[in-house]
Each structure stands twice: as structure tokens, then as C-alpha cells.
Amino acid sequence: LASVAADLVLLDPPYGEGLGAAALTALAHAGWVAPDALIVIEADRLAPESVPPGFAVLETRDYGRTRIALIERAARLTPPE
């Protein structure tokens, strides 16, 4: 079966472990994240996940102790040549 890259990626790694960035990097390198994908990562507001190189935070929202980060590939922010 051919794999299809996801347009929407939802990540809810264990809080405080720093696994969100590692998971997103692994998914992207494996070709499972589409270039125009929206990525949503849930984390602890007091210990937010870092964003790996090649991605940019669009917006964050806090709900109690939870932070939701909306992320996209940074390449989309660069104007085409």
C-alpha cells in the first residue's frame, strides 16, 4: 500500500517528556506530514513542547494547565522564488 501524507496531525504526547517535537520530526522525515498540513500539539502550559526546525507556530491557546499549539511547516512562510 502506498502511504499518503496527512493534512491534519494531532499530537498529544505525555506532558513534560519533550516527545512532541521528536514525534513530529520523525513523522515528517517518514513523509507522513503533507507540506500544507496543520499540526496540533497538546502540552502542559508550564512546560510547552518545542517546535522542531522546519516548522512554525501559528497560534497557541491555553486552557487551564493545557496549551494547544497550531503549527505549520515553515517552508509555507517563505515566498516562492
Side-chain angles (χ1 to χ4, degrees):
L1 295 174
S3 65
V4 177
D7 292 326
L8 176 63
V9 178
L10 305 173
L11 296 174
D12 184 11
Y15 285 6
E17 300 289 322
L19 298 174
L24 181 54
T25 299
L27 291 170
H29 283 293
W32 291 10
V33 180
D36 59 346
L38 175 65
I39 300 104
V40 181
I41 298 180
E42 180 180 333
D44 187 323
R45 177 178 55 85
L46 302 176
E49 290 285 339
S50 62
V51 178
F55 293 88
V57 176
L58 295 171
E59 183 177 346
T60 60
R61 297 182 185 183
D62 294 340
Y63 301 97
R65 285 273 317 255
T66 300
R67 172 164 290 163
I68 303 295
L70 305 175
I71 299 168
E72 70 177 356
R73 285 188 182 249
R76 288 182 57 202
L77 302 175
T78 306
E81 294 182 16

